[in-house]
Amino acid sequence: LPVDLKANDNKIGLREFYKEKQPSNHYEKVAVFVYYLMKFNHLEEVKFGEILTSYEEVNDKKPSIVDIVKNSVRYKGWLESGKEKFTARMTISGENFVKFDLPHK
């Protein structure tokens, strides 16, 4: 899906943000992507296709997004299901994780 992931006067680019946060697994990567899209692109919820586009932007292998999001909702609590099918939103604990716990010290 087309989504603006480049840096401009108002925001950091996804590649730079990703490099700064250094996520180490797919759960962390998806959390970083959803955080970026909600905070910097001001989306209310993120479509799975936008997450896949984010993987392409950072030149990384794509996982099964459905499984990663479902497990992230169930086990990590960083995401919640969006209103639409195949969408997700960041939770408060997910925001805190990306903002304060990444990169790992």
Side-chain angles (χ1 to χ4, degrees), residues 8-105:
N8 62 34
D9 294 341
N10 301 320
K11 69 174 184 169
I12 186 173
L14 176 62
R15 284 184 190 160
E16 294 78 19
F17 186 71
Y18 182 83
K19 203 175 287 179
E20 185 183 297
K21 291 299 178 180
Q22 302 171 6
S24 61
N25 59 50
H26 287 301
Y27 298 106
E28 293 179 2
K29 291 172 186 180
V30 169
V32 166
F33 297 151
V34 173
Y35 181 93
Y36 178 88
L37 290 163
M38 290 186 71
K39 288 290 177 199
F40 296 101
N41 280 19
H42 310 291
L43 300 179
E44 288 196 20
E45 51 188 32
V46 177
K47 296 179 176 86
F48 289 7
E50 292 165 330
I51 297 170
L52 291 171
T53 300
S54 299
Y55 270 96
E56 286 179 18
E57 179 70 15
V58 300
N59 199 27
D60 200 353
K61 289 182 184 175
K62 295 176 233 167
S64 167
I65 292 297
V66 174
D67 292 339
I68 294 294
V69 170
K70 188 169 49 177
N71 289 336
S72 194
V73 168
R74 184 178 297 142
Y75 302 116
K76 301 282 189 192
W78 297 337
L79 302 176
E80 61 188 14
S81 297
K83 293 178 187 140
E84 301 292 318
K85 193 171 181 165
F86 302 118
T87 63
R89 290 195 314 242
M90 178 76 29
T91 63
I92 300 286
S93 66
E95 278 183 38
N96 287 335
F97 173 74
V98 173
K99 197 170 182 180
F100 301 110
D101 298 341
L102 289 179
H104 297 285
K105 304 291 183 268

